[in-house]
Amino acid sequence: MTEIPALRSLVEERVMAHPPEKIWRALTSSDLIARWLMANDFAPVVGHRFNFRATPVMGWNGVTDCEVLVLEPPHRLAYSWNASGEQAADGLKTVVTWTLTPAEGGTRVRMEQSGFRPQDEGGFRGMGSGWPGILVRLEGIATEL
C-alpha cells in the first residue's frame, strides 16, 4: 500500500475593525488587490481565470495562475493559487480561501492557503512568512475605504 503524503495548510486569522462588506470590497476589487497583494486581472466571477504578477525572485517566475472557485459575497472567496509557465507541471498547486465572519469589534478574517505538498516546502515557508504582512496591508486598505 502506498502512503499518501499529508498536505499542509497555512492559516492567518485576525479581527479587523470593519464590516464584512468593506473587507469584501478590498478582497474582490482588482485595483484594491493590487495595492495589498499583487498586480492582477481578477474578476469576482466563479470560473474566471486570472494571474497575480510580481517581480520574479529566485525559484519563482513572478506569475501565479489562479481561478475563482467560490464566491459567496460578503462571506467566502476561494481561488486556486498555482505555479505558472515552466514551473506549472511540478510547482505549487494550492487553494486560497478567505472567510469573513461578523465578530465583536468588526469582522473575523480567516485566510487559509491549503494543499502544500512535501515538495512545496520553499513555497510553504515563503508564503508562511508573507501572509501576516499581507493581512496587515489588506486591513490598511479596508481602513481607507
Side-chain angles (χ1 to χ4, degrees):
M1 182 149 98
T2 304
E3 187 175 320
I4 298 171
L7 300 179
R8 295 191 295 168
S9 295
L10 294 167
V11 176
E12 286 293 323
E13 195 169 316
R14 67 185 65 207
V15 174
M16 296 184 186
H18 307 289
E21 294 75 16
K22 227 183 211 195
I23 298 164
W24 184 260
R25 184 173 159 211
L27 286 173
T28 59
S29 300
S30 178
D31 59 328
L32 297 176
I33 296 167
R35 293 175 55 202
W36 62 266
L37 186 55
M38 284 184 266
N40 66 89
D41 54 347
F42 177 87
V45 176
V46 171
H48 176 69
R49 294 177 185 273
F50 66 100
N51 300 107
F52 286 120
R53 295 174 302 284
T55 304
V57 295
M58 176 142 352
W60 181 51
N61 67 5
V63 179
T64 302
D65 289 339
C66 304
E67 179 180 349
V68 178
L69 305 172
V70 176
L71 190 75
E72 299 170 359
H75 304 290
R76 195 159 167 258
L77 169 66
Y79 43 81
S80 59
W81 180 289
N82 300 329
S84 71
E86 293 177 4
Q87 299 170 334
D90 298 322
L92 209 57
K93 292 172 180 57
T94 62
V95 173
V96 171
T97 303
W98 295 93
T99 307
L100 307 181
T101 309
E104 187 173 330
T107 301
R108 179 169 302 285
V109 178
R110 183 180 195 273
M111 183 292 312
E112 179 177 3
Q113 186 172 10
S114 59
F116 288 95
R117 304 161 298 178
Q119 65 264 39
D120 299 328
E121 185 61 31
F124 184 81
R125 283 194 318 268
M127 292 307 300
S129 65
W131 280 116
I134 291 168
L135 264 68
V136 168
R137 292 195 303 273
L138 169 64
E139 186 168 16
I141 295 300
T143 299
E144 294 175 18
L145 298 179

